[in-house]
Amino acid sequence: MPAPERLAAVATVLCLYPRRQRDVLAGWLASVSAQRCIGEGVGAAGEAIVFRDARGRACWRLHLLPDSDFLAWDLAVVGLPAAEAQRSRGRLARALRGWRGGGWNARTLRLQLASDPTGRRILVADASEPSALGLEHARRIAAAEGATLRTGPDTCCCMARRAASDVSNAPAPASR
């Protein structure tokens, strides 16, 4: 799994999440594994990370956009198993469309790192307005996946409380 610090460094991404979930980061919390998908079959930007829950279902998906930090993306996906684009495209599309809950939403997000009151590092996200090129890529990806692209300043400021133990089992720093 990519560490929260690595995902936050990527900054702007397109996130696909189930419509039944109010919090765009709920899939991050439910995920137990991730896979890197590369190629034409992944959408306009050509690269994505698919997160899967304990039952092996796709529960969250991040897409690289022209507004993303490409070097940080490379660090975030290092070590993730890769899927063949053509074969995975059909399987992932079926998983995205077929999961109970009425389909998928897509939203451009700016991922960031924060600390909760106990000092644990958590991933947070705010709605992001990408560049015109980034928005065009987001529209193409959402259309290809049958997802509804949500835009505008509403929603977000979402927090994921995945413990820093994903990165390190070190205890939280003491207050000064």
Side-chain angles (χ1 to χ4, degrees):
M1 291 285 291
E5 290 86 351
R6 297 238 170 134
L7 291 176
V10 176
T12 303
V13 294
L14 177 67
C15 175
L16 272 68
Y17 61 100
R19 282 190 190 129
R20 64 180 176 77
Q21 294 175 343
R22 290 183 41 185
D23 188 333
V24 298
L25 296 179
W28 163 250
L29 292 172
S31 65
V32 297
S33 67
Q35 185 177 33
R36 181 181 187 182
C37 298
I38 305 168
E40 290 178 26
V42 186
E47 204 162 330
I49 304 172
V50 177
F51 295 81
R52 296 188 181 280
D53 64 17
R55 294 173 60 184
R57 299 177 301 186
C59 60
W60 204 51
R61 188 169 179 171
L62 297 180
H63 284 267
L64 184 65
L65 292 174
D67 305 90
S68 304
D69 183 321
F70 284 62
L71 295 175
W73 178 272
D74 284 345
L75 290 173
V77 299
V78 73
L80 291 181
E84 180 186 323
Q86 291 295 0
R87 190 178 67 215
S88 66
R89 170 76 172 105
R91 185 174 61 240
L92 292 171
R94 281 192 304 277
L96 288 171
R97 290 187 185 107
W99 203 26
R100 281 185 249 158
W104 291 74
N105 281 325
R107 177 170 277 291
T108 55
L109 298 177
R110 178 159 182 82
L111 300 175
Q112 300 174 53
L113 194 62
S115 295
D116 70 9
T118 67
R120 291 185 301 173
R121 293 185 177 183
I122 57 173
L123 191 65
V124 296
D126 290 316
S128 171
E129 290 210 25
S131 65
L133 179 62
L135 184 57
E136 180 58 31
H137 279 267
R139 285 182 177 138
R140 283 189 214 154
I141 295 166
E145 299 298 346
T148 303
L149 180 62
R150 298 188 54 183
T151 58
D154 66 318
T155 71
C156 281
C157 201
C158 308
M159 300 179 80
R161 299 188 186 283
R162 182 175 293 247
S165 64
D166 287 351
V167 179
S168 163
N169 288 323
S175 301
R176 289 187 178 196

